[in-house]
Amino acid sequence: AQSVTQLDSQVPVFEEAPVELRCNYSSSVSVYLFWYVQYPNQGLQLLLKYLSGSTLVKGINGFEAEFNKSQTSFHLRKPSVHISDTAEYFCAVSEGVQNGGFKTIFGAGTRLFVKA
Amino acid sequence: KAGVTQTPRYLIKTRGQQVTLSCSPISGHRSVSWYQQTPGQGLQFLFEYFSETQRNKGNFPGRFSGRQFSNSRSEMNVSTLELGDSALYLCASSPGLAGLADTQYFGPGTRLTVL
């Protein structure tokens, strides 16, 4: 079974500073990787996903992530954060089953706190 | 298009009762997944439905069940509620065409409190 490890439970950062949220996964087969964001009292929203092709993936709100197969990592980055980026961020991997079904395995989440 | 809707948004039940949660997917989406989110366990997969068939199930006891209707709307049921079932239950829909590569669109969740 696949697993996802988010290396930081909380990341405090000042506004306009760069940020990196780290994610490692374990998988022996093709990998589909996702980053989701959850704002308080809301559901999850997709930031970006990696399916294949270019290892640098650009998403919404200025976020990007780099897929590194040798290090089994999929770190999320933003060059300059805003107060409104304060939220919880989840790294996830999709795992398929023979009948075409699937499930998404989420990391424990990283709470990004942007300070003024 | 309207997003994923979940009803009710908040629910308070007592131990031993049962509860039914409802999810209406985005129009045209045929796959619906359910997740349980708790502070201790994080986001855990419950089940996934496609065209009224359960295709995958997570590691939850049989008290947790679900179904999907012909219009893709889905319900999940929890019987004999326990205190540990208190959680945010999230529903997500996807087109269902690309399987595990699909983007999932999440509803706002149903906050279940068991007293």
Side-chain angles (χ1 to χ4, degrees):
Chain A
Q2 301 188 53
S3 66
V4 178
T5 303
Q6 291 184 243
L7 298 161
D8 307 293
S9 60
Q10 293 186 71
V11 173
V13 63
F14 284 103
E15 193 173 20
E16 298 183 8
V19 71
E20 178 179 81
L21 307 184
R22 298 179 294 167
C23 172
N24 286 95
Y25 66 92
S26 70
S27 172
S28 59
V29 295
S30 296
V31 173
Y32 297 100
L33 293 160
F34 305 79
W35 274 99
Y36 286 89
V37 60
Q38 186 176 34
Y39 298 102
N41 299 315
Q42 294 186 29
L44 277 69
Q45 179 184 5
L46 180 73
L47 279 175
L48 48 81
K49 64 180 178 182
Y50 173 79
L51 303 180
S52 64
S54 172
T55 58
L56 184 63
V57 182
K58 293 191 182 296
I60 62 171
N61 301 341
F63 284 94
E64 63 181 33
E66 184 153 19
F67 170 64
N68 188 317
K69 187 174 181 179
S70 62
Q71 296 186 10
T72 61
S73 68
F74 190 53
H75 300 335
L76 181 71
R77 302 187 183 102
K78 186 169 183 177
S80 175
V81 295
H82 303 286
I83 296 285
S84 59
D85 292 324
T86 295
E88 187 138 24
Y89 292 79
F90 293 92
C91 181
V93 62
S94 273
E95 179 179 279
V97 293
Q98 285 186 337
N99 64 2
F102 67 95
K103 68 178 181 182
T104 302
I105 300 162
F106 288 89
T110 297
R111 185 169 297 276
L112 175 64
F113 179 59
V114 182
K115 301 177 284 186
Chain B
K1 281 185 180 178
V4 178
T5 58
Q6 293 187 244
T7 57
R9 290 293 311 277
Y10 301 91
L11 207 48
I12 299 175
K13 292 286 188 180
T14 57
R15 279 182 299 173
Q17 288 187 308
Q18 75 164 16
V19 67
T20 299
L21 311 182
S22 181
C23 171
S24 292
I26 291 172
S27 177
H29 285 191
R30 296 170 65 189
S31 173
V32 173
S33 298
W34 288 89
Y35 298 86
Q36 181 195 65
Q37 185 177 24
T38 60
Q41 299 296 317
L43 278 153
Q44 293 189 286
F45 170 78
L46 280 157
F47 18 68
E48 186 245 341
Y49 288 88
F50 179 83
S51 292
E52 301 179 68
T53 299
Q54 185 183 89
R55 296 195 299 188
N56 203 3
K57 189 178 191 307
N59 295 324
F60 279 82
R63 300 185 297 107
F64 291 81
S65 63
R67 59 178 175 169
Q68 186 182 34
F69 303 95
S70 59
N71 62 358
S72 294
R73 190 177 69 86
S74 177
E75 289 181 347
M76 68 162 281
N77 184 276
V78 188
S79 62
T80 319
L81 284 166
E82 300 177 359
L83 294 178
D85 297 333
S86 294
L88 181 66
Y89 289 88
L90 292 166
C91 166
S93 76
S94 57
L97 302 175
L100 73 172
D102 262 340
T103 295
Q104 293 182 81
Y105 297 84
F106 284 80
T110 293
R111 171 79 59 188
L112 172 64
T113 301
V114 182
L115 303 175

